[in-house]
Amino acid sequence: MTYEQTLDYLYTKLPMYQRIGKQAFKKDLTNIIKLCDALGNPQNNFKSIHIAGTNGKGSTAHILSSIYQNNGYKVGLYTSPHLVDFRERIKLNGQLCSKEFVIEFTESIQHLIDDIQPSFFEITVAMAFSYFAQEMVDIAIIETGLGGRLDSTNIIEPIASIITSIGFDHMDMLGNTLTAIADEKAGIIKDQVPVIVGEIADEPLEVIKNKAKLLNAPIHKTLMQEMETDLLGDYQLWNIASALKCVEVINNLLPTEEHKNKEALKQVGSLSNFVGRWQILNKQPLVICDVGHNEQGFQLVAKELDKYNLNIYYILGFVQEKDLSSIIPILPKGEEYHFVKPKVIRGMHADKVQAEFQKLGINGNPHQDLKDALDDVY
C-alpha cells in the first residue's frame, strides 16, 4: 500500500473517535493488551512519562519533550489527535515518524486487526509503542487520549505520572461531576510511581490524593512561576510548571541541567513541532488558531482574547456532542461570527451552530468550509 492507501485503510476500517464519537471508545484494555502481547510488549522496552488531564496534557507533553531533547536525550512523543498529518501523533525528537514505518507496521499487523478488531486509537497506541521500542528512545512522553483508567495508553509502567487539570469534558463517558472525572484521570496513577498535579480544584484533587495514597504514590503539587517561553498564553505557565516539577522529581533517573531546561522553554515550538495552541498563523491581520474544545479550554481562550483591544472575528467549528449553551457565554463579544462543520462524521452542521448562537441573541453566518469562511471575513 501507499501511505495514502494505508491511512484510508486505518480511517475506514477501524472505529475512530474523531470521526464517530463514543462508539469507538472501548471500555476496557483487552484489545490493547492482546495487540501489544502479540507485538512482544514493546511498551516495556523504554522509560515513559504518562500524562492525563482535561486540558494542558498536550502542551505539557511537548514541553517535556523539548526539555529532554535539549538535554541530549532521544525522546519519543505520543499525542492525539492529529491536526493535519497522521504522523503528528508519533514523533521522535520533534520529527514526525516516517511514512514507511506507518505503511510497514500497518501491513505487518493486518492479521491481528482481523483477529482482534481493535479501534483506530488502539492501533495508533500500539504503533507508537512499537516505534519507540524500535528506535530505542531514552524516554517516551505518552499523552492519554480520553480519561485515563481505561485509556489504551494505560498499559505502560511510567517513571512519573502527571494530571494537568480536571474540567468538564466527555461527560457521557467519564462522568458528569468533577470528582467522577478525576477518578477516571487518576486511573493512570501506578504503585509507588510519583504523580504531579497541576491546577486542580480541592474536591477533585482530594480524589487524586486518595488514589495516590492508596498506591503509595508520592504526590507533588505544581506551583506556577514566571518563565521565559515561546509559548503564548498565560495558561501555559501552569503546564510549564507541571513539566518542570516532573523533571525535578525524576532527576535521579533522567538528569537534566537547569540552563538547558530554560533554553528549551524558549523554543518549545521548534524543538517539539508543537502547533494548534494559541498559534499565530498571520500577523497582519492577526490570525490566531486554538484547538480549545471544552468549557475550561474556552475560558482560557477568552482570558487571552480579553487582552487584545481589537475587533474579534470568530470562525468556529464544533462536534455534535458539545453543549454550546455552556461555551457560548464564555466568549468575549465578537464583531462577526462564522460557523463551519468540521470534516468529520460527528461534526456539528454549521446551520445548527448558527441556531444555537441565535438562541443566545448572537447572529452569525454558516459556511460550506473554512476557506469559504475566511474569504467572507477578508
Side-chain angles (χ1 to χ4, degrees):
M1 293 188 289
T2 65
Y3 179 63
E4 289 70 25
Q5 289 170 332
T6 301
L7 293 187
D8 185 61
Y9 170 81
L10 292 173
Y11 292 154
T12 56
K13 184 174 178 63
L14 307 174
M16 181 181 180
Y17 180 79
Q18 276 69 38
R19 290 177 59 247
I20 65 174
K22 67 179 181 180
Q23 298 97 311
F25 181 57
K26 302 292 180 68
K27 292 190 175 182
D28 63 62
L29 301 177
T30 302
N31 281 355
I32 190 64
I33 291 171
K34 285 182 180 177
L35 198 52
C36 285
D37 274 347
L39 294 169
N41 288 307
Q43 74 279 6
N44 296 336
N45 293 333
F46 51 82
K47 294 186 181 74
S48 62
I49 297 171
H50 206 187
I51 308 176
T54 304
N55 292 292
K57 57 185 183 291
S59 297
T60 305
H62 282 82
I63 294 164
L64 281 169
S65 181
S66 301
I67 288 172
Y68 286 116
Q69 284 174 235
N70 207 47
N71 278 274
Y73 291 103
K74 194 173 188 180
V75 185
L77 176 62
Y78 176 76
T79 59
S80 63
H82 64 272
L83 298 180
V84 179
D85 190 324
F86 167 83
R87 296 174 301 144
E88 295 167 27
R89 295 168 179 260
I90 306 171
K91 298 177 187 174
L92 182 68
N93 285 350
Q95 300 302 307
L96 310 187
C97 71
S98 70
K99 291 181 179 180
E100 290 72 26
F101 174 77
V102 176
I103 295 168
E104 291 168 6
F105 178 84
T106 304
E107 288 180 341
S108 73
I109 65 162
Q110 282 185 351
H111 66 290
L112 294 175
I113 292 175
D114 292 336
D115 180 40
I116 298 172
Q117 298 288 304
S119 69
F120 173 86
F121 187 74
E122 287 165 337
I123 289 295
T124 65
V125 169
M127 186 184 295
F129 291 168
S130 295
Y131 187 66
F132 299 153
Q134 173 184 301
E135 293 295 329
M136 295 185 290
V137 299
D138 298 309
I139 182 67
I141 317 299
I142 309 293
E143 176 198 20
T144 61
L146 212 164
R149 181 175 64 94
L150 299 176
D151 189 79
S152 297
T153 62
N154 202 28
I155 62 170
I156 58 175
E157 291 293 333
I159 59 174
S161 305
I162 303 175
I163 302 175
T164 57
S165 65
I166 301 294
F168 289 109
D169 200 13
H170 303 299
M171 282 100 79
D172 53 342
M173 289 172 281
L174 303 182
N176 56 13
T177 66
L178 292 181
T179 53
I181 293 170
D183 190 53
E184 290 297 322
K185 307 286 187 187
I188 71 165
I189 299 174
K190 302 295 190 298
D191 186 45
Q192 299 183 60
V193 174
V195 55
I196 293 88
V197 294
E199 185 185 18
I200 298 174
D202 290 343
E203 198 172 0
L205 181 58
E206 197 60 31
V207 173
I208 296 168
K209 284 181 176 178
N210 289 339
K211 182 62 179 290
K213 184 177 181 180
L214 187 67
L215 293 172
N216 296 309
I219 192 163
H220 302 268
K221 188 77 172 69
T222 292
L223 295 175
M224 195 176 74
Q225 53 190 306
E226 291 289 333
M227 298 293 292
E228 189 176 349
T229 179
D230 65 331
L231 297 176
L232 301 175
D234 287 348
Y235 58 84
Q236 291 290 10
L237 295 176
W238 278 108
N239 299 324
I240 288 171
S242 294
L244 289 177
K245 176 58 72 172
C246 178
V247 168
E248 174 193 325
V249 168
I250 60 174
N251 199 58
N252 61 318
L253 297 173
L254 286 172
T256 63
E257 298 178 45
E258 187 176 355
H259 75 280
K260 290 183 179 179
N261 299 347
K262 289 181 177 179
E263 287 172 2
L265 296 178
K266 299 174 187 177
Q267 46 187 331
V268 174
S270 59
L271 282 173
S272 67
N273 202 354
F274 184 39
V275 295
R277 231 352 144 187
W278 203 256
Q279 183 181 0
I280 294 179
L281 302 179
N282 194 63
K283 292 187 177 180
Q284 291 293 336
L286 181 62
V287 179
I288 298 170
C289 162
D290 193 273
V291 296
H293 57 279
N294 51 48
E295 186 176 339
Q296 189 181 49
F298 269 75
Q299 286 170 344
L300 297 172
V301 168
K303 186 177 178 181
E304 294 302 317
L305 285 172
D306 279 335
K307 298 175 184 176
Y308 289 81
N309 187 26
L310 298 169
N311 293 330
I312 303 172
Y313 295 77
Y314 289 107
I315 300 177
L316 300 163
F318 301 92
V319 290
Q320 292 169 7
E321 63 267 24
K322 293 300 176 185
D323 176 16
L324 299 193
S325 64
S326 66
I327 290 175
I328 296 170
I330 295 171
L331 293 172
K333 187 177 184 300
E335 189 76 12
E336 292 181 12
Y337 296 81
H338 301 266
F339 312 119
V340 297
K341 177 185 179 293
K343 290 184 178 180
V344 291
I345 293 173
R346 55 195 270 264
M348 188 182 294
H349 285 281
D351 289 340
K352 183 178 179 183
V353 179
Q354 179 190 40
E356 291 296 313
F357 272 74
Q358 284 178 336
K359 287 178 185 178
L360 295 175
I362 301 173
N363 294 319
N365 302 314
H367 296 274
Q368 290 286 83
D369 53 36
L370 182 58
K371 184 180 183 303
D372 183 40
L374 282 168
D375 288 343
D376 197 12
V377 170
Y378 286 128

